[in-house]
Amino acid sequence: MAVIIGEDPLEQYILEHSSPESPLRAEIYRAAHVRLIRPRMLSGHLQGNLLKMIAQMCRAKLVLELGTYTGYAAHCLAEALPEDGRVHTLESDDEMEDFIRHYINRAEYGHKIKLHIGDAMKLLPELMRQNDFDLVYIDANKRQYPDYYKLIIDHLHSGAVILADNTLWDGKVALEPKPSDVQTQCILEFNAMVQADERVENLILPLRDGLTLIRVK
């Protein structure tokens, strides 16, 4: 079952003994919980720090994010990049744009974040042609995870990394999905697709709702 960071004493210990959240990211986290309907979608302190550290370890310069939501993860990724690095982040919900841009504009690394509003399936082909991404973070429409993977994988160089969020889906992946549960079915399809792909190595971490690390050979 996924590890959900909350009020458990051990979970609090983990947070207290991890690198602190930046003040701006803490503000985004609080604003999401006060103003937005589904704040659980936000990456949060622990996962945000992991994203930042992976980007640093990969020495990433160009990053692609599918599913901006509040921009929290984009901030974590942008913090890790060199001055000329860029995070291209895609968000389908145009009602989130003002919230996202407000915090991007306040960040000292905001110039590293390029926000694209629109359907990822329409935006991806051109972005993949124009950029040689070192790191891809998938956290958008779960029904389209297999489609995202198919559009992305052929364009990535050896050593590139894909991170896919929510791949344990509240433990539903270990159960027989209901015929009407398309999201679970598509995550199962995605997990199976990655596992069968000989071009990559993969590992599912039981962090929050599951985070799959995929490395192109």
Side-chain angles (χ1 to χ4, degrees), residues 146 149 167 173 184-198 200 202 204 212:
Y149 187 78
T167 49
V173 294
T184 300
Q185 291 174 14
C186 288
I187 290 175
L188 284 167
E189 180 185 347
F190 171 81
N191 289 345
M193 183 183 297
V194 172
Q195 182 67 16
D197 192 343
E198 296 182 352
V200 303
N202 66 294
I204 299 180
T212 298

Side-chain angles (χ1 to χ4, degrees), residues 6 12 74 91 94 100 104 106 112 124 192 195 201:
Q12 288 300 310
E91 175 56 47
D94 61 0
I100 296 165
I104 289 176
R106 290 179 52 197
K112 300 180 189 177
L124 273 174
Q195 182 67 16
E201 300 172 303

Side-chain angles (χ1 to χ4, degrees), residues 15-192:
L15 289 175
E16 290 168 3
H17 290 78
S18 300
S19 295
E21 190 176 41
S22 72
L24 183 59
R25 279 200 273 145
E27 187 176 333
I28 295 171
Y29 183 90
R30 174 166 173 74
H33 281 76
V34 170
R35 296 168 51 188
L36 303 180
I37 297 173
R38 296 184 296 277
R40 184 175 181 268
M41 291 170 55
L42 183 146
S43 297
H45 179 184
L46 185 64
Q47 186 163 327
N49 279 10
L50 178 62
L51 294 175
K52 179 181 176 182
M53 188 171 291
I54 290 174
Q56 290 170 326
M57 292 170 67
C58 293
R59 297 184 179 179
K61 184 173 180 180
L62 277 178
V63 176
L64 172 66
E65 179 187 35
L66 308 184
T68 313
Y69 189 44
T70 63
Y72 188 101
H75 284 254
C76 300
L77 294 164
E79 284 184 84
L81 302 185
E83 183 60 26
D84 59 347
R86 291 293 179 272
V87 177
H88 289 268
T89 182
L90 283 57
E91 175 56 47
S92 62
D93 185 358
D94 61 0
E95 292 186 357
M96 287 298 301
E97 184 172 3
D98 289 346
F99 185 104
I100 296 165
R101 290 198 185 279
H102 172 73
Y103 290 102
I104 289 176
N105 292 339
R106 290 179 52 197
E108 61 183 15
Y109 45 78
H111 61 286
K112 300 180 189 177
I113 302 174
K114 172 66 175 176
L115 175 63
H116 304 264
I117 300 293
D119 183 346
M121 294 301 294
K122 295 179 180 178
L123 294 169
L124 273 174
E126 188 65 23
L127 280 170
M128 299 309 298
R129 280 194 295 268
Q130 293 179 350
N131 299 278
D132 185 14
F133 290 108
D134 306 300
L135 177 64
V136 178
Y137 179 46
I138 302 175
D139 188 17
N141 189 338
K142 312 311 167 191
R143 296 175 179 85
Q144 294 183 316
Y145 268 36
D147 297 324
Y148 298 149
Y149 187 78
K150 292 173 187 175
L151 279 174
I152 289 167
I153 189 62
D154 288 335
H155 297 276
L156 298 181
H157 58 77
S158 176
V161 172
I162 301 173
L163 305 173
D165 202 12
N166 305 116
T167 49
L168 294 181
W169 206 230
D170 285 331
K172 293 179 183 179
V173 294
L175 307 172
E176 184 66 29
K178 297 177 181 178
S180 59
D181 189 354
V182 179
Q183 290 181 315
T184 300
Q185 291 174 14
C186 288
I187 290 175
L188 284 167
E189 180 185 347
F190 171 81
N191 289 345

